[in-house]
Every structure is written in C-alpha cells, then in structure tokens.
Amino acid sequence: MATDVKVPTLGESITEATLGQWLKKPGEPVKADEPIASLETDKVAVEVPAPVAGIMGAHAVAEGDTVNVGAVIAVIEAGSGAAAPAPAAAAPAAQTPASLKAADPVPEPALRSDAAPAAATEEDDGSPLTLSPAVRRLVLELGVDPSGIKGTGKDGRLTKDDVLAAAKTAPKAAPAPAAAAAPSATAPAAAATGERREERVRMTRLRQTVARRLKEAQNTAAMLTTFNDVDMTAVIEARARYKDLFEKKHGVRLGFMGFFVKAACMALKDIPAVNASIDGDDIVYHDYADISVAVSAPNGLVVPVIRDAQSLSVAGIEKTIGDFGKRAKDGTLKMDEMKGGTFTISNGGVFGSLMSTPIINPPQSAVLGLHRIEDRPVVRDGQVVVRPMMYLALSYDHRLIDGREAVTFLVALKNAIEDPTRLLIDL
C-alpha cells in the first residue's frame, strides 16, 4: 500500500513553492518524519517530512518544478527493505565537484544534489546520508567527503559548521591519476589559460522575491537617505568591561546589535512616523516596535522579526538575534518569523561596508544601515583625537517621513549610543 506525500501548508498567503531538492531517491528506506525533500518558498526553505516509514517511491515532480500546496509530489511504498541499487545513469556522479563547476552550463539542481560524489552520499555502513540543501551545497563548494564527518546536529545530521570545520582540517587532495586519464563525456577538459567560461544558474525563488520586492520599493516609495556618524567609544568600553559577565549570566555573547536595537526602539518612540507605514490614503502608526533584522542565509538575505523589541532587555535581544542567525544558516527559520516588522536594521559593517544607502522593506517606511567601525580623527574639546567611528544611514519614504524627522531620529540614536546610560533611564 502506497502513501501519498503532499506539499504541506506553507503559511498564510503562500500557495506554491519550488521543489528545490530531493533528499531521498526512489528505492531508499525512509523513516517517519524524516525529511525527504526541500521546498523553496518566497522567504525560506521548508523540508517535507515523510508521513510514514517505508520505501521511497516514484518522484511525481522534478527538482526546479513549481508545486501547489496540497499537491502530491511522491509516494512512499510499504516495506523496510534495503535501498534499491543505483541506476547505471548515476555513474557520472562520481566526477569531482571541481569538474562539475567547469561544466558549461550546469543547472542549479545538479550542483546541489546529483552532482555530489558517490562516496559523499553514503555513511560507513552503506546507508545514505541525508543532507540539508545548505549543507549539500557547501559540501560541493568545498569538495569534502561528508561520510567522514561526524555530525553534531539532530539525530547526528551534518551542520554547516561541521562541514566548515572539516574543510579547514582536511588536506588538499591531489587529483587521482585514474580520474585524470579517464575520458569524460560530461565534463570538458581543463580550461586553457585565458579561456572564458559562463555558467547559467536559475534564480532561486527567494532571490526572485527579493529582487521583485526591492524593485517595487524603488518604484513606489519616494526614497531618500540621511547620514550621520556615531562615536562608538562608550559602547566598546562597556562591552569590553562586561562581556564576560554578560555571557556567563545570559549564555550569549554581548554584541553591538543589542545596543542599537534598544536605541532604535527609544528613537522610534520619540519619532513615531519612522515606525509607521502607508496603507492606501491612511498612515498606520504602531505603539510597538517589531524590529526586522537582516540576516545572511545560504540562499540570500532573510529578515526575521524581533517581536515587541521595546519590551526586551539587551540580553533578550542578543539571544533572539543569535538564534535567528544560527537557524538562518541551517535553513530552519519559520514563515511566521519572517512576517511583519515595523522597522528594519541592516548591519553591512560585518562585511566591511563603510557606507551604503539601504532600500526599505515595504510596507515599512524606513531602514537603518550600520557600517564598519574604524578609527578616524575627530575634534573633541578643541583637540584632534582618534575615535572609533561608524557611519549611520537612514533610508526612508519621504512621502511619510520629513527630513526633520529623519535627522531627529538619527541624532536621538547617536546620543543613546554615545552615552549608553540614556538606555537605562529612557532619555
């Protein structure tokens, strides 16, 4: 008796997704609730669990196909036998990731699943490994053998940190002589010096959504960016003084984002227009601060939301951001965590950005851009001194927020960061 595998409910207003990757092949044994496929939605990647234990049956859709919620994508046959032998057509999978990258062109699904070396998809006991899309992509990029890596994730599954650690310690392997001598019908010979190559890869659904929303923001909002700078001396000293005690008590590192989120909440309270949005001919003001925090994920930028950030302590904010960052790398953020938000903070400084003009995240009306900290000469009390300075950028919808309000918001934020005592006494 076969059991249908259907596309699960993906969240409010989301009716379709893209079949990003099959994690189980026909004939392989599966356990109940074991991930068998990965779906890419407009915001996050979602794993499809097996409804029952049995043998993976036929795939009803291919990787890259669009599927609707409730659609049947595969079947699971009754039984618990060993996996069926791999078909002969799978032989080209034994080529190395490097040769795959040289192929011209190579579709994205091949880079993410079937292109993995045969030894990289089986454990020592011969049973197949189950890799998440992010981990599988990293395995291919780094050219490591996952069968020799000890997983630290749930049920012993590999995480990105496991793969990165293994890549750092693994010696660079020389190409096998047999592989060099064997003719290849699917990968061209090594490119000659100066040869130009191209690779065409289909945009992921997440990247398509990001591109569409950013362009919509430019087309709809009257965007303007105002800049200021902030002296980070006081925050750096406070962090250096209390970071060990903070981590010991709260179990999380004390970073700069906790200070900026608290300072932003105070400034939003004083300048409510920056925390508002436009709905038709109405302005919607919010008496709460749901702060969207831009986080880098394997498939692009995601923006989870810190709910009621105005009510959280610095420790609560740091814990929430740390959890978001970890789960963004693992691809386990939930749909509800990406919805809403009244104001966005994007920290390009972690990548070395000196200055930028961030684009607002509709229907929000403003976004704060943080940048790298660098020592610069400034004048204090008539003397030129060196201070750790950071540029701040506030991009906003000029239809709702006037220049006076934007500047006032940045000054309030600057004052709170330069004198963190203000955060304690709400000044």
Side-chain angles (χ1 to χ4, degrees):
M1 179 180 178
T3 302
D4 291 338
V5 179
K6 299 181 179 181
V7 177
T9 301
L10 301 173
E12 184 180 353
S13 76
I14 298 179
T15 60
E16 64 179 23
T18 299
L19 198 295
Q21 180 183 3
W22 283 109
L23 304 178
K24 287 291 185 179
K25 298 179 180 179
E28 292 183 341
V30 297
K31 302 176 183 177
D33 297 325
E34 182 180 9
I36 60 173
S38 175
L39 299 175
E40 293 178 357
T41 70
D42 291 347
K43 296 182 178 181
V44 294
V46 179
E47 290 183 338
V48 180
V52 295
I55 302 298
M56 189 69 202
H59 295 166
V61 296
E63 293 178 348
D65 289 352
T66 298
V67 293
N68 295 322
V69 172
V72 176
I73 60 175
V75 295
I76 295 179
E77 306 287 349
S80 58
Q95 57 189 319
T96 64
S99 67
L100 282 169
K101 292 181 180 178
D104 184 25
V106 180
E108 183 184 17
L111 289 174
R112 294 166 53 188
S113 57
D114 295 341
T121 58
E122 294 186 358
E123 297 179 2
D124 293 338
D125 60 359
S127 60
L129 279 171
T130 300
L131 305 179
S132 70
V135 172
R136 187 178 294 272
R137 181 185 290 269
L138 191 61
V139 164
L140 293 176
E141 290 176 352
L142 300 180
V144 297
D145 182 358
S147 63
I149 305 174
K150 180 176 178 58
T152 60
K154 184 179 179 181
D155 297 328
R157 295 179 65 184
L158 294 185
T159 66
K160 288 190 65 179
D161 291 338
D162 297 333
V163 177
L164 290 172
K168 291 180 180 179
T169 59
K172 292 185 178 180
S184 174
T186 58
T193 302
E195 185 174 349
R196 292 151 53 93
R197 291 190 175 276
E198 293 181 353
E199 178 182 349
R200 184 180 296 271
V201 178
R202 184 179 179 182
M203 293 174 67
T204 64
R205 180 175 288 268
L206 173 60
R207 175 53 58 186
Q208 293 177 40
T209 301
V210 170
R212 184 180 67 253
R213 286 178 57 82
L214 292 181
K215 189 57 183 174
E216 287 175 354
Q218 286 186 320
N219 293 340
T220 303
M223 278 201 297
L224 182 65
T225 303
T226 296
F227 298 93
N228 210 323
D229 62 2
V230 58
D231 187 340
M232 296 291 291
T233 300
V235 168
I236 290 175
E237 290 178 350
R239 182 173 180 267
R241 184 179 307 167
Y242 298 115
K243 64 179 182 179
D244 292 337
L245 292 174
F246 185 89
E247 185 171 3
K248 182 178 180 180
K249 179 176 180 178
H250 300 291
V252 65
R253 295 180 60 188
L254 176 60
F256 296 123
M257 283 297 289
F259 291 97
F260 276 102
V261 171
K262 288 297 292 183
C265 289
M266 289 179 53
L268 292 173
K269 182 179 178 182
D270 293 338
I271 316 295
V274 181
N275 198 41
S277 60
I278 294 178
D279 184 10
D281 293 331
D282 299 329
I283 300 175
V284 181
Y285 292 96
H286 310 283
D287 66 352
Y288 53 88
D290 284 352
I291 306 297
S292 303
V293 182
V295 177
S296 180
N299 293 331
L301 196 70
V302 294
V303 192
V305 180
I306 305 174
R307 308 289 179 188
D308 292 316
Q310 79 285 350
S311 301
L312 296 178
S313 64
V314 171
I317 293 170
E318 292 288 1
K319 288 179 180 179
T320 303
I321 294 175
D323 178 59
F324 284 158
K326 182 179 183 301
R327 291 192 290 122
K329 291 180 181 179
D330 295 339
T332 57
L333 284 172
K334 299 178 181 178
M335 286 288 182
D336 291 342
E337 294 170 324
M338 317 283 285
K339 294 165 50 179
T342 60
F343 182 76
T344 295
I345 299 179
S346 178
N347 186 7
V350 297
F351 304 109
S353 172
L354 176 64
M355 188 178 293
S356 67
T357 55
I359 299 178
I360 62 176
N361 181 22
Q364 299 174 23
S365 297
V367 53
L368 175 68
L370 308 181
H371 302 90
R372 76 170 184 249
I373 302 170
E374 64 176 9
D375 289 340
R376 291 201 297 269
V378 295
V379 178
R380 295 289 185 267
D381 299 325
Q383 300 292 322
V384 176
V385 295
V386 175
R387 291 286 187 268
M389 303 296 294
M390 175 195 287
Y391 286 118
L392 305 176
L394 182 73
S395 292
Y396 56 96
D397 190 343
H398 212 348
R399 297 177 302 167
L400 173 59
I401 303 169
D402 295 330
R404 175 183 62 85
E405 294 169 316
V407 172
T408 303
F409 173 88
L410 281 179
V411 170
L413 186 77
K414 171 184 172 74
N415 290 338
I417 294 298
E418 293 185 342
D419 182 9
T421 305
R422 291 172 175 263
L423 299 177
L424 299 176
I425 60 178
D426 193 16
L427 183 60

